[in-house]
Amino acid sequence: MRSKRAHPLGLFLLFSLILLFSKSDAGSLGVYWGQNAGEGNLSRTCKTGLFRIVNIAFLSTFGNGSQPLMNLAGHCSPSSNGCQRVGRDISSCQRRGIKVMLSIGGGSKNYSLSSQDDARNVADYIWNQFLGGKSKKRPFGRAIMDGVDFDIEGGELHYAALAYRLHDHYATSNKKFYLNASPHCQFQNNLLHGALSTDLFDHVWVQFYNNPQCEFSSNDPSGFKSAWSQWTTSINAAKFFVGLPASHAAARTGFVPPHALINQLLPIVRSPKYGGVVLWDRFHDLHSGYSRKIRRKV
């Protein structure tokens, strides 16, 4: 009895379906840049081809009547109009297809929002200074960043109002702008719960470090599994990312060795809602080589 040959068209369609589904759960690699002059300039970070998202950290002072301030830790001084080079680098990164976000907040906690009007004023400032608005003196010159990352380490009040106001500005532009957030992995009593409940956020990169109760552990990943499930089923966002330190030195706890990430953690999180991995930060990544070890598996 003669065996049947597979039809070439059928093989092509089968291969296409396999490729489609394998890509549907593929992720992007992101990184924080800006908190150590030893990490090199932004353009060099983007030229590596390792990252699809770069968060520039931080707009570390804002709200409650204070003058908003960028802290780029030795890279440049926005207050003296010295960050035009960073602006040119932002545009260079974007030409490579990399999304460049403004990260607001951080560990300094020199920020707060005293009212909804205060939140709206801060949103107007961000829009005009960094995004699609206009101002006579923009810290990064003509560069138009791709969105905002809420890295809020203290206080929850009025961040929903900030998100709503930014979203209103976004709606006036033909360019796609992103709203992203980087909450700590414990879901209950999370500082960004109110903002994230607005359903306005595109990406959520959950910080699975400096939070032992929900970090990944090869010996017992149950806490990580539970936290990941709760975030992805309770918050309405397009994609969820795993936030990790790029080395042991980058965080007190939460470092996941590359082999454990690839073989144990990623199989847990892969789903249509999985977006990728975001690393803190480029300085530590540069010394550990972490992104190069995981990039093809993320």
Side-chain angles (χ1 to χ4, degrees), residues 217-234:
S217 168
S218 295
N219 296 326
D220 181 11
S222 59
F224 173 84
K225 284 182 178 180
S226 176
W228 179 259
S229 175
Q230 193 160 23
W231 279 106
T232 56
T233 58
S234 302

Side-chain angles (χ1 to χ4, degrees), residues 120-239:
R120 287 188 279 266
N121 289 336
V122 171
D124 292 345
Y125 174 87
I126 292 171
W127 174 254
N128 289 323
Q129 296 290 326
F130 300 98
L131 302 174
K134 294 182 179 180
S135 176
K136 290 182 179 179
K137 291 183 67 175
R138 289 166 60 99
F140 300 138
R142 296 181 180 180
I144 299 174
M145 302 180 77
D146 293 294
V148 181
D149 163 48
F150 285 34
D151 188 349
I152 304 305
E153 306 283 343
E156 180 185 358
L157 289 175
H158 310 304
Y159 283 100
L162 180 64
Y164 276 120
R165 183 69 160 202
L166 285 171
H167 185 261
D168 288 344
H169 282 304
Y170 289 6
T172 67
S173 175
N174 292 326
K175 174 181 168 65
K176 167 65 178 176
F177 289 98
Y178 293 84
L179 266 180
N180 306 320
S182 50
H184 288 263
C185 57
Q186 70 273 17
F187 187 81
Q188 301 299 327
N189 301 317
N190 195 279
L191 295 174
L192 282 170
H193 181 76
L196 289 169
S197 296
T198 62
D199 296 345
L200 296 177
F201 285 76
D202 298 284
H203 301 147
V204 179
W205 21 81
V206 185
Q207 293 183 27
F208 287 99
Y209 52 94
N210 295 334
N211 292 280
Q213 67 273 29
C214 45
E215 293 170 1
F216 177 82
S217 168
S218 295
N219 296 326
D220 181 11
S222 59
F224 173 84
K225 284 182 178 180
S226 176
W228 179 259
S229 175
Q230 193 160 23
W231 279 106
T232 56
T233 58
S234 302
I235 298 298
N236 184 22
K239 294 290 182 181

Side-chain angles (χ1 to χ4, degrees), residues 81-100:
N81 200 31
C83 290
Q84 301 301 302
R85 165 65 187 271
V86 176
R88 292 191 292 272
D89 285 355
I90 289 170
S91 299
S92 173
C93 293
Q94 291 169 327
R95 288 193 293 271
R96 295 175 180 273
I98 297 167
K99 303 300 182 185
V100 184

Side-chain angles (χ1 to χ4, degrees):
M1 183 176 176
R2 189 173 64 180
S3 62
K4 294 182 180 180
R5 287 186 177 182
H7 194 280
L9 180 59
L11 289 174
F12 174 77
L13 290 174
L14 178 62
F15 177 77
S16 298
L17 286 171
I18 292 172
L19 188 62
L20 174 65
F21 283 106
S22 65
K23 284 188 174 182
S24 66
D25 291 348
S28 300
L29 195 56
V31 71
Y32 281 84
W33 177 93
Q35 286 301 288
N36 194 306
E39 66 200 338
N41 63 44
L42 178 61
S43 178
R44 186 175 302 171
T45 296
C46 292
K47 285 179 181 178
T48 63
L50 294 167
F51 309 106
R52 306 309 303 163
I53 301 166
V54 177
N55 296 319
I56 295 187
F58 292 104
L59 182 68
S60 59
T61 300
F62 58 83
N64 200 24
S66 63
Q67 174 65 36
L69 292 173
M70 285 289 299
N71 174 7
L72 292 180
H75 283 286
C76 64
S77 175
S79 61
S80 62
N81 200 31
C83 290
Q84 301 301 302
R85 165 65 187 271
V86 176
R88 292 191 292 272
D89 285 355
I90 289 170
S91 299
S92 173
C93 293
Q94 291 169 327
R95 288 193 293 271
R96 295 175 180 273
I98 297 167
K99 303 300 182 185
V100 184
M101 312 294 176
L102 172 69
S103 187
I104 67 171
S108 71
K109 300 182 183 178
N110 295 324
Y111 50 87
S112 63
L113 299 174
S114 59
S115 66
Q116 291 193 10
D117 283 341
D118 189 25
R120 287 188 279 266
N121 289 336
V122 171
D124 292 345
Y125 174 87
I126 292 171
W127 174 254
N128 289 323
Q129 296 290 326
F130 300 98
L131 302 174
K134 294 182 179 180
S135 176
K136 290 182 179 179
K137 291 183 67 175
R138 289 166 60 99
F140 300 138
R142 296 181 180 180
I144 299 174
M145 302 180 77
D146 293 294
V148 181
D149 163 48
F150 285 34
D151 188 349
I152 304 305
E153 306 283 343
E156 180 185 358
L157 289 175
H158 310 304
Y159 283 100
L162 180 64
Y164 276 120
R165 183 69 160 202
L166 285 171
H167 185 261
D168 288 344
H169 282 304
Y170 289 6
T172 67
S173 175
N174 292 326
K175 174 181 168 65
K176 167 65 178 176
F177 289 98
Y178 293 84
L179 266 180
N180 306 320
S182 50
H184 288 263
C185 57
Q186 70 273 17
F187 187 81
Q188 301 299 327
N189 301 317
N190 195 279
L191 295 174
L192 282 170
H193 181 76
L196 289 169
S197 296
T198 62
D199 296 345
L200 296 177
F201 285 76
D202 298 284
H203 301 147
V204 179
W205 21 81
V206 185
Q207 293 183 27
F208 287 99
Y209 52 94
N210 295 334
N211 292 280
Q213 67 273 29
C214 45
E215 293 170 1
F216 177 82
S217 168
S218 295
N219 296 326
D220 181 11
S222 59
F224 173 84
K225 284 182 178 180
S226 176
W228 179 259
S229 175
Q230 193 160 23
W231 279 106
T232 56
T233 58
S234 302
I235 298 298
N236 184 22
K239 294 290 182 181
F240 292 82
F241 292 67
V242 181
L244 293 174
S247 71
H248 284 289
R252 294 188 302 273
T253 60
F255 178 73
V256 180
H259 63 86
L261 173 80
I262 294 166
N263 297 317
Q264 295 177 270
L265 188 155
L266 291 180
I268 293 172
V269 300
R270 288 200 188 278
S271 74
K273 287 190 174 183
Y274 166 71
V277 174
V278 173
L279 299 177
W280 178 267
D281 61 351
R282 179 54 179 160
F283 173 75
H284 292 93
D285 177 60
L286 196 61
H287 289 274
S288 68
Y290 194 84
S291 60
R292 292 190 180 278
K293 297 171 184 175
I294 67 170
R295 60 177 296 216
R296 297 187 184 278
K297 301 296 184 179
V298 167

